[in-house]
Amino acid sequence: MKYKNQYRSLVSSSKWSTMVRKRCKTLTLFFIIFLSLIAFGIFVPVFALLPSLSSHSLHHHQQQLLPATKKNHGYARKFEISDDKFWKDGQPFQIIGGDLHYFRVLPEYWEDRLLRAKALGLNTIQTYVPWNLHEPRAGTLDFEGIADLVSFLKLSQRLGILVMLRAGPYICAEWDLGGFPPWLLAINPAPRLRSSDPAFLQLVERWWGSLLPKVAPLLYGSGGPIIMVQIENEFGSYGDDKAYLHHLVSLARKHLGDDVILYTTDGGSRETLEKGTIHGDAVFSAVDFTTGDNPWPIFELQKEFNAPGKSPPLSSEFYTGWLTHWGEKNAQTSADFTAAALKNILERNGSAVLYMAHGGTNFGFYNGANTGSDESDYKPDLTSYDYDAPIRESGDVNNAKFKALRRVVEQYSSVSLPAVPSDNEKKAYGSINVTKTGNLFELIRYFDVVESDNPISMESMGQMFGFLLYVTEYTAKDNGGESIVSIPKVHDRAQVFISCPSEDGHEKPTYVGTLERWSNQPLTLPNTKCLSNISLLVLVENMGRLNYGPYIFDRKGILSPVYLDGRILRKWKMYLVPIINLNESPKINPNPIIQAANSGFITMSAHKRLKQKSGNASKEPAFYAGYFYISKEDIIKDTFISLSGWGKGIVTINNFNIGRFWPLKGPQCNLYVPAPILQNGKNVVVIFELESPNPELVVQLVDQPDFTCGPRKSNVHQL
């Protein structure tokens, strides 16, 4: 997540090359229209909590994980560093680990993915803790469902897997705002993120005051799986505020005690290590570096930033693949090349943590984004976080990379590796016909609205994710000529419409064009004859906040004045578009909004008429809904929803936000749909399409991922 000024090299299966890394270093009305799902009669709780581990069961498994106790060779349960080695219960220990993020996997699949990691030969799992998932609103904590960190840690314990916990508060992770909650961006005056600013530290103290006591009982010395806790993440690639790092260390010690190993991770250069590490033996300094680099000179450099005898060689992010942004070719790296690089570390008793062992999915609105040369060079991440990891997004392990890495790990593992599980079966459930349930502009009267003389950011209005509709009015030119509208700073993508009252009193917005953060150009508004003022409507999509680099303070919405022929437009109404995010539940409120949503349904008999019109329809944000059945006798299987022929938007299944689709941009054509989201009987699909629906008004449920969409390009964005 680093190396900002370096290039990235993607390696195909037929080529060996080095891969350079700058990853991270790189009301809720279910959108009103989603309430129309009532017409289908569905409600599905998506996340069933994992069965809690009884104290008896936990004690039993803790005993299983105690190869050395005071009654056994005189050693207490302890994980420590000495003689430039890791030691577990008095025995030398080589960390062969991998990142697997609980928040990118449904809880029902945590055990499945962890067992596949064990079959790969991993003895340790590393995971981040995203603050924004656990405190989506200031003061409102969430540790349930996909946010049930404690259950994930206990499950790791039960399965005999150690844990390296990356507690943040900044994590990067290609995750929205690097894991910071977006409500931090609404505070005035703004706190300086990742700094010793007292206002920021006070918020961190409150967050860690909730988080760390939950994980403290699960430290290795207390019988749990956590062997190390990371402080911040690759801070040397961002700043050099040592007071900030020291404060985090003191705070961690306060809650976790003096025995746990705290560690930092920084790129393997002298500059990043100078900035991001804490000298002495209070905090262990780990490194990461380009896959394919000779690791051993970097491990020698690492020793300079650890106390004598306290520097076991550890690559805490060994890159098995790479991230992909919308509009890029899907990243792939050679299995043999990756395996050879891992062997180079393990054969000399070095330790490594695969990033990623299993990538998972950026469900909901939580994907992050990167920048290039400046803030406008904006690159949002895909919904898929497959990462070309050995355990694929859907859990598949029958692939060349898994096999190659397992062969290497097997040579150095201290235990026999478990058998490799079969891939989970996928099912193509077939075609789903959808019908239009209404367009956005028919529903805005039901949305919460904020009025202001000037546009204000999403965060300032409490709209942390998704979409915001800005509306104002202007007077047409007396000579009937065209006007020019410009928005110097829009984050991230704005569709512009104009309308005026028609004879029947209903507004019919006309699409004018789209302003994009990365290619922002003024738009020409056509001459429109209206009986009164013309309405200007700007629908802004938050496509994911920056998770890395100097521009991380990334507010969303319209962040500048809006100019019409050089004159500032004022008196704005801002409508909060209520689409649920990953860890939110739809609120069903029986009021006129539901009737309005239900009345928007178009009957199946009108389906053909809509299809015939759709080819010439103006680009308008609209909602489409359909359903499919799974027999009560059938075992529910994973699937993928293909949005081929659609434009851009959001898809939900059974009130679960699967994520963003954008096949016009590519490369992702299909979105992964895990089986726990589905149910026997009726399953409802709702699509919020921003631009152009499939002319046939159909989506497909298929049994394979597809990353071949979008315009074909001769190169990709270089990180």
Side-chain angles (χ1 to χ4, degrees), residues 96-100 110-126 152 159 161 354 357-358 390-391 395 397 402 406 409 417-421:
I96 306 177
D99 264 76
L100 190 161
W110 285 345
E111 183 166 354
D112 176 87
R113 303 305 195 257
L114 287 169
L115 289 173
R116 293 170 191 273
K118 285 195 71 173
L120 183 58
L122 306 187
N123 54 35
T124 305
I125 286 298
Q126 186 171 241
F152 178 80
L159 298 177
I161 301 173
L354 309 185
H358 171 58
I391 305 171
V397 294
F402 184 95
R406 188 178 191 271
V409 172
L417 303 193
V420 178

Side-chain angles (χ1 to χ4, degrees), residues 19-89:
M19 178 185 66
V20 177
R21 167 95 166 150
K22 177 250 169 193
R23 194 180 57 81
C24 262
K25 310 205 187 183
T26 73
L27 152 82
T28 301
L29 303 170
F30 198 46
F31 211 165
I32 305 307
I33 219 35
F34 293 3
L35 295 178
S36 61
L37 299 183
I38 291 178
F40 290 112
I42 114 149
F43 174 78
V44 188
V46 177
F47 294 127
L49 293 180
L50 292 173
S52 60
L53 297 174
S54 68
S55 59
H56 172 78
S57 173
L58 182 58
H59 178 69
H60 171 71
H61 292 295
Q62 286 173 356
Q63 288 181 327
Q64 288 182 325
L65 292 175
L66 288 174
T69 66
K70 289 182 179 179
K71 295 181 180 180
N72 182 12
H73 307 301
Y75 289 106
R77 179 178 172 87
K78 192 170 185 181
F79 193 87
E80 56 192 330
I81 295 174
S82 66
D83 297 329
D84 287 335
K85 295 183 181 70
F86 294 110
W87 296 79
K88 176 175 170 285
D89 304 327

Side-chain angles (χ1 to χ4, degrees), residues 105-146:
V105 180
L106 296 191
E108 295 89 340
Y109 273 164
W110 285 345
E111 183 166 354
D112 176 87
R113 303 305 195 257
L114 287 169
L115 289 173
R116 293 170 191 273
K118 285 195 71 173
L120 183 58
L122 306 187
N123 54 35
T124 305
I125 286 298
Q126 186 171 241
T127 185
Y128 290 115
V129 180
W131 183 359
N132 52 11
L133 182 77
H134 294 287
E135 194 175 4
R137 304 279 171 177
T140 301
L141 295 174
D142 184 357
F143 285 92
E144 298 182 353
I146 203 168

Side-chain angles (χ1 to χ4, degrees), residues 475-489:
T475 304
K477 291 183 176 179
D478 294 337
N479 60 11
E482 296 176 337
S483 294
I484 303 295
V485 65
S486 65
I487 310 177
K489 194 169 185 178

